[in-house]
């Protein structure tokens, strides 16, 4: 992060800020939180995670507590939601729709109970009952019934003024249009939400029709309710849980619990997990129970709400500026969730690596619906890391387990832990497959490798298609008009199976262009262009061909080193065909290349000695004109006999490759600058060597100048 004078105290703890800094911090937080509110409530497109939002809000409150006189008129602590947007009519709530204070730890729950008792002047031993119910992750809605008829429906808006969504609310299946038994003016409040299954189906439909997809069920519910066209809302499967009320012409219950029961009798859906409990320990136990049930509920919840049961006590407790004193939301940790492991699937990558993936019962974690997590490799599943040490105290992971998942930043979700208490007695340790699920070839684990790999090579469809994509990628053949998408299409249709097939495409499908032309997305021009682009790549540098083969461990710069060493494809092919892994002259020669170690050497020799692979390679080479790496006689080289030193960062080639190239041109490459040095090639970040070279009057050039010096050689 760039530290500028404006934000240099962003990370200073509230109690370390001076007054000027505190004032600026409050201003920054007001802006940030207001735009986050707008994004979340009005645009249904949050840009902060709930956890980030809560942290900012807590920081704001902490600074206000220390510098109360700096509290702003537009303080985020006094705000709920965001102003109603244009487009809907506005409705002023007869009673404000408020928010809830948060508890994050067990201690916070005990403190809440203490505060309530203190306010009411109750002894620690006096009875005080609470209700506890899931906190539904949707958006709140206030429904007004007059003489039993649904007359008004309003979103929360900023808590004072909401949006009139009556038309839309009427389309929600479990919102009654008429009720009986309630007072003549009766405002019921609750949460509009979408079930996990309906959310998945909606996103699927939206994808198919190229419509907008939603990040999570809450956004989908909000986006669906706040449609100017009610027929769209009607097509979206929304539901409503009732849990509170606003204006009433007469009381209808004496306790929270009885009120929830009455709401049920009036015809509203209430949450079946609502419980009546008598102390903080029981509240926490209920919270844990609900947390365990979370993934099985079929809808998202983000905590448990505790409310003082006695409505007379609620009245006495009353409200702070935006939250009731008689209720609190005990939130689940934002980036963690327990869920059920439905299955373990094995994916096969380009190099044949078998990667296990956890298929999970979907849960929303940190605002994103998670249904897959990486399981890394078989050791990880068994509870061991790459060095054999225990992870999760050695607990293994089995299909059917309850697992705790987490998201760190934007990375793929991971499994943090497994709950052995909830493991089914019949669950068996996961047996990692020893054959490839794609092609049935044996999958083996080499010594020192954490990963099991399919030995099928090009006969394995998973590897074949990934390899083809690699083959046409930028550093390799880079054929214009033939990208990953086209390769996949041609592979699926059986037009190409190995790289060599690309070079016979014209022969097989080009007659009069009919076949290719008839395909979706291809016209005569584009077909001819593709064939031309392919032909242009028949004559191609050695290193690109070697890199394009996608042999494990042989990356772009290694391919360059090897090409420079052998000079011609034939020379390399002969050497690799004749080499014996671990011994002999050919092996030693291969290992002698700077930058080639035993792992890469083994991989290269194996590829050239495996029958399937070799046949595919030979077929490809016979379609190509592989360019020789020209090594010129030392006498013709401007750097022959010169001593060269490389320093700093090189961007066009690796240090090893630069060294090999210089040596092939007859230069001597040294590690340090001395009076004998002729040329210092200095990239960015060059330090003492550059200073020394300057002092000694050594010619110092940058990487580009060096490349143009040896250009064409
Ligand atoms: S009671 C005066 N109960 O959470 C407070 N709210 O963070 C009345 N929510 O605005 C709210 N489930 O949208 C209550 N069982 C529940 C809830 C619940 C979800 C939402 C509601 C509220 C927000 C506060």
């Amino acid at each position: 992060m760039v530290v500028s004078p404006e934000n240099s105290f962003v990370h200073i703890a509230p109690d370390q800020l001076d007054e000027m800094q505190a004032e600026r911090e409050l201003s920054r937080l007001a802006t940030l939180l207001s735009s986050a509110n707008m994004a979340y409530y009005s645009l249904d497109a949050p840009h902060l995670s709930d956890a980030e939002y809560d942290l900012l809000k807590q920081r704001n409150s902490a600074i206000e507590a220390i510098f109360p006189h700096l509290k702003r008129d537009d303080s985020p602590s006094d705000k709920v939601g965001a102003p109603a947007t244009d487009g809907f009519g506005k409705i002023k709530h007869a009673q404000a729709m408020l928010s809830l204070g948060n508890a994050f730890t067990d201690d916070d729950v005990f403190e809440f109970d203490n505060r309530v008792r203190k306010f009411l002047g109750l002894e620690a031993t006096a009875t005080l009952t609470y209700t506890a119910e899931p906190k539904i992750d949707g958006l709140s809605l206030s429904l007004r019934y007059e003489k039993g008829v649904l007359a008004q429906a309003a979103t929360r808006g900023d808590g004072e003024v909401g949006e009139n969504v009556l038309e839309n609310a009427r389309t929600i299946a479990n919102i009654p249009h008429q009720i009986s038994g309630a007072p003549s003016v009766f405002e019921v409040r609750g949460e509009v939400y979408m079930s996990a299954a309906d959310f998945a189906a909606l996103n699927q439909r939206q994808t198919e029709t190229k419509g907008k997809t939603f990040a999570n069920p809450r956004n989908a519910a909000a986006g669906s309710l706040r449609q100017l066209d009610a027929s769209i809302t009607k097509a979206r499967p929304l539901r409503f849980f009732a849990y509170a009320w606003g204006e009433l012409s007469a009381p209808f219950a004496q306790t929270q619990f009885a009120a929830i029961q009455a709401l049920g009798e009036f015809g509203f859906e209430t949450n079946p997990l609502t419980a009546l409990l008598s102390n903080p320990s029981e509240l926490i136990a209920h919270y844990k129970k609900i947390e365990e049930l979370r993934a099985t509920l079929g809808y998202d919840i983000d905590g448990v709400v505790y409310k003082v049961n006695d409505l007379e006590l609620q009245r006495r407790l009353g409200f702070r500026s935006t939250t009731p004193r008689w209720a609190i939301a005990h939130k689940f940790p934002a980036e963690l969730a327990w869920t059920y492991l439905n299955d373990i699937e094995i994916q096969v990558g380009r190099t044949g690596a078998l990667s296990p993936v956890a298929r999970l019962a979907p849960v929303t974690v940190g605002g994103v619906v998670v249904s897959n997590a990486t399981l890394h490799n078989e050791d990880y599943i068994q509870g061991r890391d790459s060095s054999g040490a225990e992870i999760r105290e050695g607990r293994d992971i089995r299909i059917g387990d309850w697992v705790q998942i987490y998201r760190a930043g934007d990375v793929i979700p991971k499994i943090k832990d497994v709950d052995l208490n909830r493991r089914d007695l019949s669950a068996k340790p996961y047996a990692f497959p020893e054959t490839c699920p794609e092609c049935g070839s044996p999958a083996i684990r080499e010594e020192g490798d954490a990963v099991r790999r399919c030995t099928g090579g090009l006969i394995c469809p998973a590897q074949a298609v990934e390899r083809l994509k690699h083959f046409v990628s930028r550093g390799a053949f880079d054929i214009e008009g033939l990208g990953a998408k086209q390769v996949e299409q041609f592979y699926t249709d059986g037009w190409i199976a190995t790289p060599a097939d690309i070079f016979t495409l014209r022969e097989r499908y080009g007659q009069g262009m009919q076949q290719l032309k008839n395909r979706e997305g291809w016209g005569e021009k584009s077909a001819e262009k593709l064939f031309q682009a392919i032909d242009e790549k028949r004559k191609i540098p050695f290193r690109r061909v070697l890199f394009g083969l996608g042999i494990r461990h042989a990356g772009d710069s290694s391919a360059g080193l090897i090409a420079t060493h052998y000079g011609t494809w034939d020379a390399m092919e002969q050497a690799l065909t004749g080499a014996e892994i671990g011994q002999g002259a050919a092996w030693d020669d291969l290992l002698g290349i700077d930058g080639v170690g035993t792992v890469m050497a083994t991989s290269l020799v194996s590829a050239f000695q495996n029958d399937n692979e070799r046949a595919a390679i030979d077929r490809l080479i016979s379609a190509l004109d592989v360019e020789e790496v020209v090594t010129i006689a030392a006498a013709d080289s401007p750097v022959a006999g010169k001593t060269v030193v490389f320093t700093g960062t090189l961007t066009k080639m690796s240090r090893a490759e630069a060294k090999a190239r210089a040596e092939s041109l007859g230069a001597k490459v040294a590690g340090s600058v001395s009076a004998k040095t002729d040329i210092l090639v200095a990239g960015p970040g060059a330090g003492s060597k550059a200073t020394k070279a300057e002092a000694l009057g050594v010619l110092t050039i940058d990487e580009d100048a060096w490349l143009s010096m040896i250009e064409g050689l």
Side-chain angles (χ1 to χ4, degrees):
M1 178 181 164
V2 181
V3 178
S4 69
E6 284 77 27
N7 62 18
S8 57
F9 44 86
V10 162
H11 297 293
I12 302 178
D15 57 2
Q16 305 293 315
L17 292 168
D18 66 30
E19 192 159 326
M20 186 273 293
Q21 291 171 333
E23 193 173 355
R24 290 230 200 133
E25 229 354 43
L26 289 175
S27 151
R28 182 184 74 94
L29 290 165
T31 313
L32 268 178
L33 287 161
S34 147
S35 92
N37 275 341
M38 185 58 91
Y40 184 88
Y41 290 106
S42 302
L43 308 174
D44 302 324
H47 57 239
L48 291 183
S49 73
D50 290 2
E52 286 164 334
Y53 181 87
D54 286 343
L55 269 179
L56 291 178
K57 207 148 175 185
Q58 278 171 37
R59 179 170 171 81
N60 184 74
S61 307
I63 299 173
E64 285 177 355
I66 300 166
F67 302 96
H69 59 289
L70 294 182
K71 187 171 166 188
R72 301 165 59 92
D73 289 342
D74 64 350
S75 163
S77 330
D78 297 339
K79 288 224 174 74
V80 283
T85 43
D86 295 336
F88 290 99
K90 312 256 185 302
I91 288 184
K92 181 158 172 40
H93 298 297
Q95 269 182 27
M97 287 182 82
L98 298 174
S99 180
L100 290 168
N102 289 328
F104 295 100
T105 64
D106 291 358
D107 280 351
D108 293 347
V109 179
F110 281 96
E111 263 172 42
F112 164 67
D113 177 62
N114 271 335
R115 278 200 305 274
V116 170
R117 286 173 184 277
K118 211 166 151 197
F119 192 94
L120 296 171
L122 288 179
E123 295 289 324
T125 50
T127 15
L128 181 60
T129 52
Y130 294 96
T131 59
E133 63 198 283
K135 183 172 187 310
I136 318 297
D137 200 3
L139 71 157
S140 45
L141 180 67
S142 182
L143 302 170
R144 186 180 176 94
Y145 290 81
E146 289 172 1
K147 299 204 178 78
V149 177
L150 177 60
Q152 214 176 57
T155 63
R156 180 161 73 172
D158 63 1
E160 301 287 334
V161 176
E163 289 164 332
N164 177 3
V165 289
L166 179 61
E167 287 270 306
N168 301 9
R170 281 211 178 102
T171 70
I172 298 178
N174 71 341
I175 290 184
H177 292 194
Q178 278 197 310
I179 56 174
S180 59
S184 68
V185 172
F186 185 69
E187 270 182 23
V188 63
R189 290 173 176 180
E191 204 82 353
V192 173
Y193 68 98
M194 191 179 284
S195 77
D198 286 337
F199 164 74
L202 171 64
N203 263 358
Q204 171 87 37
R205 280 202 307 278
Q206 295 289 97
T207 310
E208 281 161 15
T209 58
K210 301 208 161 56
K212 174 184 173 182
T213 57
F214 300 94
N216 55 50
R218 199 212 81 88
N219 288 347
S224 301
L225 181 67
R226 300 176 62 260
Q227 287 286 340
L228 291 170
D229 176 356
S231 68
I232 299 181
T233 310
K234 192 176 165 70
R236 304 274 173 87
L238 297 175
R239 300 192 66 80
F240 178 77
F241 269 129
Y243 51 67
W245 53 91
E247 192 181 15
L248 302 171
S249 55
F252 72 106
Q254 258 144 41
T255 64
Q256 180 74 32
F257 200 71
I260 300 291
Q261 279 176 329
L263 289 175
E265 282 156 21
F266 297 157
F268 296 99
E269 187 169 334
T270 57
N271 195 286
L273 291 169
T274 308
L276 194 57
L277 303 161
S278 52
N279 60 55
S281 308
E282 283 186 13
L283 294 178
I284 291 162
H286 191 66
Y287 167 92
K288 299 221 159 100
K289 189 176 127 197
I290 291 183
E291 190 179 25
E292 284 190 355
L293 290 174
R294 187 176 180 189
T296 65
L297 298 177
Y299 51 86
D300 274 351
I301 61 174
D302 58 349
V304 178
V305 183
Y306 309 136
K307 297 172 186 168
V308 170
N309 188 41
D310 186 325
L311 297 186
E312 171 56 18
L313 296 183
Q314 282 193 10
R315 191 196 57 74
R316 279 175 55 199
L317 283 155
F319 299 88
R320 284 182 237 95
S321 64
T322 61
T323 58
R325 286 196 191 85
W326 44 266
I328 197 158
H330 191 180
K331 301 281 277 277
F332 295 136
E335 313 290 344
L336 284 175
W338 285 95
T339 190
Y340 181 79
L341 177 59
N342 281 323
D343 202 4
I344 295 178
E345 269 178 34
I346 304 290
Q347 290 178 348
V348 185
R350 166 168 69 87
T351 57
L354 268 52
S355 310
V357 178
R359 301 286 179 216
L360 307 162
V363 271
T364 300
V365 191
V368 175
V369 177
V370 169
S371 45
N372 303 312
T374 172
L375 287 166
H376 304 287
N377 54 52
E378 56 192 291
D379 289 345
Y380 183 83
I381 297 177
Q382 283 172 8
R384 278 180 279 115
D385 70 10
S386 54
S387 65
E390 281 188 350
I391 48 175
R392 302 182 300 272
E393 294 168 349
R395 289 186 281 277
D396 71 329
I397 295 172
R398 304 183 182 185
I399 294 171
D401 271 344
W402 284 89
V403 289
Q404 189 179 40
I405 55 167
Y406 68 100
R407 290 176 61 235
D410 271 333
V411 296
I412 311 162
K414 299 198 167 124
I415 291 188
K416 182 164 184 223
D417 209 352
V418 47
D419 187 348
L420 294 188
N421 294 323
R422 300 175 83 190
R423 174 173 286 170
D424 200 285
L425 285 178
S426 64
K428 302 226 165 25
Y430 178 69
F432 204 91
E434 292 181 359
T435 54
C436 172
E438 295 283 343
C439 72
S441 304
I444 58 162
R445 240 183 110 166
E446 280 169 17
E447 219 181 285
D449 193 352
V451 176
R452 189 173 283 277
R453 288 172 205 278
C454 164
T455 53
L458 290 169
I459 65 153
C460 175
Q463 291 181 64
V465 77
E466 292 308 317
R467 281 212 194 177
L468 283 165
K469 287 186 198 166
H470 172 78
F471 184 80
V472 298
S473 70
R474 265 184 109 212
F477 275 66
D478 194 16
I479 298 171
E480 210 178 318
L482 193 61
K485 208 176 100 209
Q486 290 80 6
V487 159
E488 207 157 296
Q489 193 187 28
F490 287 173
Y491 181 82
T492 312
D493 296 348
W495 284 33
I496 56 173
T498 72
D501 300 334
I502 293 172
F503 295 93
T504 56
L505 268 175
R506 189 200 281 273
E507 227 168 281
R508 291 179 295 137
Y509 299 101
Q511 283 88 12
M513 296 309 165
Q514 271 319 316
Q515 300 218 47
L516 191 55
K517 227 173 65 186
N518 291 341
R519 300 184 60 120
E520 200 189 332
W522 293 95
E524 187 148 349
K525 262 206 184 133
S526 55
E528 178 52 32
K529 257 176 97 176
L530 173 67
F531 292 140
Q532 269 178 22
I534 292 173
D535 285 342
E536 275 166 23
K537 295 293 159 84
R538 285 184 198 266
K539 188 166 166 25
I540 187 155
F542 184 169
R543 68 180 293 168
R544 281 183 176 259
V545 181
L546 183 56
F547 174 60
L549 292 180
I551 296 169
R552 195 150 70 92
H553 305 299
D556 183 31
S557 99
S558 319
L561 296 174
I562 294 163
T564 308
H565 179 78
Y566 290 108
T568 66
W569 185 270
D570 285 349
M572 177 193 70
E573 187 197 285
Q574 266 190 17
L576 295 180
T577 312
E580 213 177 321
I581 292 174
Q583 56 188 321
W587 175 257
D588 291 344
D589 181 51
L590 178 57
L591 273 187
I593 303 174
D594 204 352
V596 174
T598 50
V599 175
M600 195 196 302
T602 306
S603 177
L604 284 163
V605 172
S606 310
F608 275 78
Q609 297 184 5
N610 170 306
D611 292 347
N612 279 332
E613 300 272 332
R614 185 54 188 274
I617 294 173
D618 289 350
R619 266 202 332 117
L620 170 69
I621 298 303
S622 67
L624 302 176
D625 173 8
V626 183
E627 288 167 348
E628 194 174 318
V629 180
V630 195
T631 41
I632 54 152
D636 295 340
S637 158
V639 296
K642 297 267 164 51
T643 299
V644 182
V645 174
F646 292 97
T647 186
T649 314
L650 300 182
T651 56
K652 309 258 162 64
M653 53 174 77
S654 70
R655 190 66 69 85
E657 188 181 352
K659 181 166 181 252
R661 187 95 178 93
E663 282 170 352
S664 79
L665 295 172
K668 269 210 306 258
V669 177
S672 59
V673 174
S674 72
K676 289 201 199 116
T677 310
D678 295 300
I679 305 169
L680 177 73
V681 181
S688 60
K689 284 182 195 163
T691 324
K692 191 161 178 199
E694 200 184 340
L696 291 170
V698 171
L699 171 65
T700 301
I701 58 177
D702 65 9
E703 192 184 4
D704 284 337
W706 164 254
L707 289 175
S708 53
M709 184 182 265
I710 61 169
E711 195 179 32
L713 299 178

